[in-house]
Every structure is written in structure tokens, then in C-alpha cells.
Amino acid sequence: MNIRNIAIIAHVDHGKTTLVDRILQATKVFRDNQETGELIMDNNDLERERGITIFSKNAAVEYNGVKINVIDTPGHADFGGEVERVLKMADGVILLVDAFEGPMPQTRFVLQKALHLNLKPIVVINKVDKPNCRPDEVHDAVFELFFNLDATEEQLNFPTYYGSGKNGWFNDSLTPTEDILPLMDGILKYVPSPVVTEGNLQLQITSLDYSSFLGRIAIGKVTRGTIKENMPISLMQTDGSIKKSRVRELYVFEGMGKKKVSEVVAGDLCAVVGLEDFNIGDTIADFENPEALPVISVDEPTMNMMFSINNSPFFGKDGKFVTSRHLRDRLMKETEKNLALRVVDTDSADSFLVYGRGILHLGVLIETMRREGYELTVGQPQVIVKEINGVKSEPYETLVVDVPQEYASKVIDLVTRRKGEMHVMETKGEMQHLEFEIPSRGLIGMRTQMLTQTAGEAVMAHRFLDYKPWKGPIPGRNNGVLIVKEAGTTTGYSLDKLQDRGFFFVDPGEEVYKGMIIGENNKPGDLVVNPNEGKKLTNMRASGSDAATSIAPKTLMTLEECMEYIQFDECIEVTPNFIRMRKTILDEEERKRQQKRLSAEAV
């Protein structure tokens, strides 16, 4: 069969999406005079802003008469759920590794999944044009990684290509070529055609698409039989029930888009229109004799957050969707395509517990919702604690930090204070490579401190390892916060007088409400302040006393930084135009009473 299905997997920032750009350009998907830009597959606003892939995507190219279905996957551990399911559509993988950094935590995670599914790997060592690169050492490290992951004899005999996605060449040696055609030839040579068994139709839904014109679209690989337009089928759901349905339209991938066809044979990827109430993992099977494929299993979430309606005094001023029904419907809709996400109802009708893979995973969901016009309040991220064999256990992660040597001691000190243990310390060029095992709780809020301690030089990556016994309390934020005493509008006069108390998250002239957090205190403990006081005006003037106030500009914090910053009694108010931090209980007297109650219970 003249089809190859290949997924591109790698650690974040090793160049997957750039490689897809080069494949699309080499196979003349675009006209020569067509303006394509960079990172063509990252078509979502959030992906382009952050420079990361969040959703896996498909493209199809033709090379030497063979159709190649290319699947671009995310590289961030938080979006591992995306990678796990789309690997089911592939027959081979291109494992991309940076020629300087070598295999990183996420490389190990995705490679383990690919080897487990018995996919044929091609290793591509990218960025060999970088200074300090060490392609031969990286090749040995990749071989060692394969060996440690119990790869078969055949998988260990992987072909290796070297090159630079940025400069547009790949070759099976370190000699630069004009283009990436040697790699394209390698895909045809080493990636097997889809294995097709005889029997009735089987197609597992591994991805979803949505069109306002066609509705929900199911995407998957036809593993057996042939699927045709207007054909009656059985939809076998993950809970064991079977629904009878009919295929309305069929599409295959072509270039960056889809092409309508009348039938798709086994081995190809296709999009099916006309099915209702399907989920990822369901099987489209024969109408008469349906047989289900094994259900897709995705690793468990490790973190949860409380999502509630916005109940601040500024409720409803900014967003379109503000009720608990809006919030619940949107979260349930997200769980249909985001396999690593879970939503659980709580005792309160206005709050939902949302489980995810990490701060970035949940942060992207919140950011997407606020752009769609939702208002909500989110609480502090909490790790999921389990009881295993009668022992209280929590998730642990492998943390890898590459940092200039002069900052290594600061990094080690910071991580060990948060209950991390160092396992590896080695020198890579001018950088120190450190590997730790640390409770997931210890990572919350660490990134900002790490960058401050290392003058922004540290490169940090982590991935889930396992559940291990609880490590005890981990120190959180050292300083308290500045809280607004009364609602009003901040004035330059007040903020100027309060500057020696700490730094601010607001500028003069901003609307604030009672209980809102407007800055960080210089000392431990929270401080209630009044930032709304105006200067008392008289008709007497004294030289020098009316000099213009000089206030330091406010500290801007991203959504993820706010999520890492807040403590258990605080939350974040998220609206389409504002992100504000506040105390969960706005009234100061009520907060004190709550504090007394908690202290009494602790005793």
C-alpha cells in the first residue's frame, strides 16, 4: 500500500513544528509564490503567542507517489494526553532530539509510549548548526535511552539522520545537503506500510474536529475493512453500548486541508461526518457483526483546581458567559476532546473540581475560556493525594535543570528546600546538567524563583514519575500580600505613600474592591491598606511639597504565574480583560474569624 503514517515526537522546543514546515515545503504543498510564514501547523492564537504546540494536528503530503500522513504532536508533558492517543494512528515515529540538549524528560515519556505500541522509530538529531552541539554524544545517549526502555532488537537498530530544520537540510551523515529529501527517502524506506488484517470494518476515533457547517467530526485510522459514504455502521462506545448510525460524508487529509471522498480503505486516516454522541476511544465497526478495538488508556491527572462562577463585586461587568450553567457546559464540552481532563461536581452548584496534568494544562484551558468570553474564579492548584497500601502518597516528578555553572549551587539549594533529591550532576559544555526527584507540590511556584535566582539562565523541564510516600510540609510563599481595605479607585498619592510596604500589581486609576490583592508585602503576613485616599487640597502651597509622585510601574503577572503565586485562602478572578488575585473571603473580620476557627480545629 502506498501510504505511510508517521508521528513526530520530541521534547518541547526541539523543532517538531519546524520540521513539519520543511516537509510541507519540500513536497510542494504550497505554490512557489505563496506566502506561508513559519510554524504553519500552529494555527491557534495561543500556540503562536506561546511558541508551543498544544493540539496535535494532521497534514498529508505526497512524495514519489506515496501518501505520507504526518501528525504533529505537542512536546510539553502537560499535553501528554494528546500524544498518547494520536500515536494510535501512526505506524512509525520520527524522534527529534536537540544536538546540544540530548534526550530530555519528555523525550523519554513519548518514546516509551511509541515503543510500547511497537512503532518503527527514525531518530533525527536536529540543530547541528548550533555552537557547542555534540551530535555523536547525543546519538549514544539516544541509544542508551532506547536500551533502558527495553526496546526490541529491531527497534534498537534505528536509522539516524542529522540536520538543521531552521536551515532546511537533513542527511544520514553530518554533511549538509541542499534539502530534506534524504529524510523523505528514509521515511519511505524505514516506515512500514500500515498492517492490514482481513475482516470487517474497524476504525477507532482518536481525535475530534468541529465545523460550524458539518458539526462534530470523528478522526481516526481505518485499521480493517473499508468505510464508504452513506454506509450504515455500528458505533461501539467505551461503556459497552452499541448505537446504530450512518456515515454521511467522508474526508481524507490532503496538504493542510481535507478532501471529500466516497470510500477509504484500511491503513489510511480519515474524517467521518454524520455521527452523533461519539467520544474519543469509540470504535466505528461493521453494522451486522461489530467488533470493538481496545479502549485508549491515558495516564491519570496529577493536579486539581476548583473552578467557580465569578462572585466578586465586579461580577458580570466584563464577560458574556457568567452563570454556573455556562461554566458547567463549557467544562463538559472540553472533556470530550481533552482526554487528560476530568470534571467532578462538588457540593456547591456553583463550583466544579477540574483535574488536569499540570499548571500549563489547566492554564491553557482557563486562557481559552476567558478569550471566549467566560468569567470565572479559580482556586489554588492542589496535587492529587492517594492512599497506596495504607500509606499517604503524592505524585513525584523528574526535574531536569540545565544552568550555567556559577548558579548550580543556588538551584540545588532551592530544589532541596522544596524536598527534592539530586540524582545526577554532570557537565555539558559550559552548562551544569542537574536531575532531581521532587514532589509535584514542590514544583508549584518554583519556576519564577528559579529564574530569579539564575538571572533567567536556567532551562527547566519536568515529567510525572510515580506516586511515592508523602514528604511532609513544603514551604510556600515567604511574604504576605497587600489587601484593599475599601472599594474605590487607586490614587497616585496613596500608592506613593505605600511604596515602602512592598510592590504593586496595580497602577493609579484602577478600580479595586475590598479583599482584592494589589501587591506583595515586604514582610511575612498580610497587610490591609487603603490605596484610594486622595490628597487633601487646601489653597496654601509650599515649594517642593507638591512634587510629582514617582511610583514604580506595576508588576505584570501571567495567568500561570498567578496560579503558582496564590495560597490556599486566595483565588484568581479571570475575566476576558482582567486577571485579578483576591482573598476567597473578602471581608477582613470574616477572614479573622475563619482563621481562629481553623487554628482551634488544628489544636
Side-chain angles (χ1 to χ4, degrees):
M1 284 185 62
N2 282 345
I3 296 177
R4 302 286 187 275
N5 299 319
I6 192 150
I8 298 180
I9 58 174
H11 185 79
V12 64
D13 266 350
H14 281 197
K16 291 177 297 303
T17 309
T18 306
L19 173 59
V20 177
D21 290 357
R22 297 291 169 259
I23 292 174
L24 291 169
Q25 287 154 0
T27 51
K28 300 283 189 283
V29 168
F30 306 105
R31 298 188 313 275
D32 290 340
N33 63 351
Q34 195 170 344
E35 188 61 49
T36 56
E38 292 290 304
L39 307 178
I40 305 159
M41 295 287 269
D42 284 354
N43 50 13
N44 176 299
D45 287 347
L46 262 181
E47 293 179 316
R48 286 196 162 277
E49 281 167 30
R50 292 170 183 241
I52 58 172
T53 302
I54 297 171
F55 308 105
S56 60
K57 297 173 205 66
N58 300 49
V61 298
E62 195 154 308
Y63 179 69
N64 287 355
V66 178
K67 180 182 180 182
I68 303 173
N69 285 310
V70 182
I71 307 163
D72 184 20
T73 63
H76 231 285
D78 282 23
F79 307 113
E82 283 279 314
V83 184
E84 286 168 55
R85 61 187 173 122
V86 297
L87 286 179
K88 286 264 187 166
M89 295 198 277
D91 298 298
V93 291
I94 291 181
L95 178 70
L96 211 59
V97 187
D98 186 299
F100 170 67
E101 291 183 353
M104 296 288 276
Q106 185 65 9
T107 317
R108 184 187 185 95
F109 170 76
V110 286
L111 180 62
Q112 194 169 8
K113 300 283 175 198
L115 294 178
H116 183 66
L117 290 167
N118 211 15
L119 302 178
K120 177 71 182 165
I122 295 176
V123 173
V124 175
I125 295 176
N126 191 16
K127 306 190 184 183
V128 295
D129 54 325
K130 275 170 81 169
N132 294 340
C133 72
R134 34 192 203 103
D136 296 333
E137 282 176 53
V138 167
H139 180 270
D140 296 344
V142 172
F143 183 84
E144 205 170 301
L145 177 62
F146 270 78
F147 185 75
N148 292 342
L149 294 175
D150 297 329
T152 61
E153 196 69 40
E154 190 190 354
Q155 286 169 332
L156 279 172
N157 193 17
F158 54 83
T160 308
Y161 287 82
Y162 302 88
S164 160
K166 187 176 157 196
N167 296 335
W169 68 271
F170 285 102
N171 197 1
D172 51 8
S173 67
L174 281 163
T175 316
T177 56
E178 294 294 310
D179 47 38
I180 69 159
L181 297 184
L183 176 60
M184 300 299 293
D185 294 329
I187 292 175
L188 301 194
K189 182 177 174 186
Y190 296 111
V191 176
S193 297
V195 179
V196 176
T197 49
E198 289 300 313
N200 297 327
L201 169 68
Q202 275 187 324
L203 180 155
Q204 188 158 41
I205 300 170
T206 45
S207 195
L208 294 182
D209 202 355
Y210 182 79
S211 144
S212 50
F213 179 57
L214 299 169
R216 290 174 75 215
I217 302 169
I219 296 172
K221 175 179 160 190
V222 184
T223 44
R224 220 168 68 177
T226 305
I227 186 166
K228 297 179 182 175
E229 199 174 30
N230 223 8
M231 174 182 182
I233 52 109
S234 298
L235 183 66
M236 307 191 71
Q237 303 200 285
T238 45
D239 58 6
S241 61
I242 300 178
K243 284 184 184 167
K244 301 299 182 187
S245 190
R246 186 178 287 275
V247 175
R248 205 167 73 224
E249 290 178 5
L250 274 179
Y251 293 84
V252 290
F253 294 95
E254 187 176 65
M256 297 286 296
K258 300 186 187 77
K259 178 177 80 169
K260 192 172 179 211
V261 290
S262 56
E263 71 170 44
V264 180
V265 294
D268 205 353
L269 310 186
C270 71
V272 183
V273 176
L275 308 183
E276 287 176 15
D277 300 330
F278 62 83
N279 290 307
I280 287 173
D282 293 354
T283 305
I284 297 173
D286 187 63
F287 188 75
E288 302 284 337
N289 308 309
E291 291 175 58
L293 284 160
V295 177
I296 298 173
S297 62
V298 171
D299 287 359
E300 292 287 306
T302 56
M303 195 169 273
N304 63 26
M305 277 176 87
M306 189 66 82
F307 280 50
S308 321
I309 59 167
N310 182 12
N311 56 4
S312 84
F314 292 170
F315 158 82
K317 281 188 174 183
D318 201 23
K320 287 188 293 192
F321 308 110
V322 294
T323 65
S324 57
R325 184 178 60 83
H326 284 139
L327 183 60
R328 188 178 194 283
D329 290 351
R330 177 65 182 81
L331 290 172
M332 290 306 173
K333 187 179 161 203
E334 187 67 26
T335 55
E336 289 177 359
K337 63 175 188 292
N338 197 333
L339 279 197
L341 199 80
R342 308 261 164 84
V343 178
V344 179
D345 290 322
T346 61
D347 301 340
S348 159
D350 296 338
S351 303
F352 308 93
L353 205 52
V354 179
Y355 293 79
R357 279 280 177 91
I359 285 194
L360 188 65
H361 185 206
L362 293 165
V364 164
L365 168 63
I366 298 166
E367 183 64 44
T368 309
M369 286 173 69
R370 69 178 275 236
R371 289 178 184 213
E372 290 170 6
Y374 286 83
E375 277 193 20
L376 61 151
T377 306
V378 293
Q380 186 192 22
Q382 306 282 349
V383 299
I384 297 168
V385 180
K386 293 182 178 176
E387 192 154 305
I388 301 172
N389 301 331
V391 179
K392 183 182 178 185
S393 303
E394 64 175 324
Y396 275 64
E397 308 216 6
T398 303
L399 169 69
V400 175
V401 185
D402 286 321
V403 67
Q405 288 180 353
E406 64 263 32
Y407 298 119
S409 56
K410 289 183 177 177
V411 172
I412 295 166
D413 177 50
L414 179 64
V415 178
T416 43
R417 276 209 310 260
R418 288 167 166 261
K419 303 279 195 273
E421 290 177 12
M422 186 162 73
H423 287 203
V424 177
M425 182 177 187
E426 51 190 37
T427 307
K428 276 189 186 177
E430 297 163 9
M431 305 287 270
Q432 202 73 29
H433 176 79
L434 309 168
E435 286 184 27
F436 302 89
E437 196 175 286
I438 183 171
S440 297
R441 286 180 301 143
L443 288 169
I444 298 175
M446 184 193 278
R447 185 175 293 275
T448 318
Q449 283 181 289
M450 177 86 74
L451 292 173
T452 309
Q453 296 275 7
T454 61
E457 293 273 351
V459 178
M460 185 177 149
H462 54 89
R463 80 171 189 91
F464 174 67
L465 180 68
D466 204 358
Y467 271 85
K468 295 194 175 183
W470 180 263
K471 261 283 179 88
I474 289 177
R477 190 177 70 208
N478 295 328
N479 293 2
V481 288
L482 303 175
I483 305 163
V484 177
K485 188 175 183 180
E486 290 297 335
T489 307
T490 56
T491 64
Y493 174 75
S494 260
L495 293 182
D496 188 36
K497 296 281 178 280
L498 291 168
Q499 277 193 110
D500 56 346
R501 296 292 187 187
F503 59 85
F504 294 103
F505 307 139
V506 292
D507 276 334
E510 286 191 29
E511 294 269 327
V512 293
Y513 54 80
K514 188 176 180 177
M516 183 172 149
I517 295 171
I518 57 157
E520 182 175 301
N521 192 359
N522 285 335
K523 299 174 183 167
D526 297 341
L527 188 65
V528 178
V529 296
N530 181 7
N532 312 329
E533 210 174 352
K535 188 174 191 308
K536 299 289 180 284
L537 298 177
T538 70
N539 59 357
M540 301 296 285
R541 288 284 175 269
S543 66
S545 66
D546 289 320
T549 54
S550 54
I551 304 168
K554 69 176 178 183
T555 303
L556 285 168
M557 288 175 82
T558 63
L559 178 61
E560 275 90 28
E561 284 169 345
C562 290
M563 285 160 71
E564 292 188 338
Y565 186 79
I566 58 172
Q567 298 297 300
F568 70 95
D569 62 337
E570 297 162 0
C571 56
I572 310 167
E573 175 192 352
V574 182
T575 73
N577 295 311
F578 298 99
I579 296 173
R580 303 182 182 99
M581 290 182 282
R582 48 165 276 204
K583 286 289 180 185
T584 310
I585 300 169
L586 296 174
D587 186 69
E588 188 186 353
E589 295 305 317
E590 183 60 38
R591 276 201 303 275
K592 285 178 181 168
R593 281 197 289 274
Q594 174 82 353
Q595 196 64 44
K596 278 181 187 165
R597 267 202 304 275
L598 290 173
S599 304
E601 282 171 18
V603 171

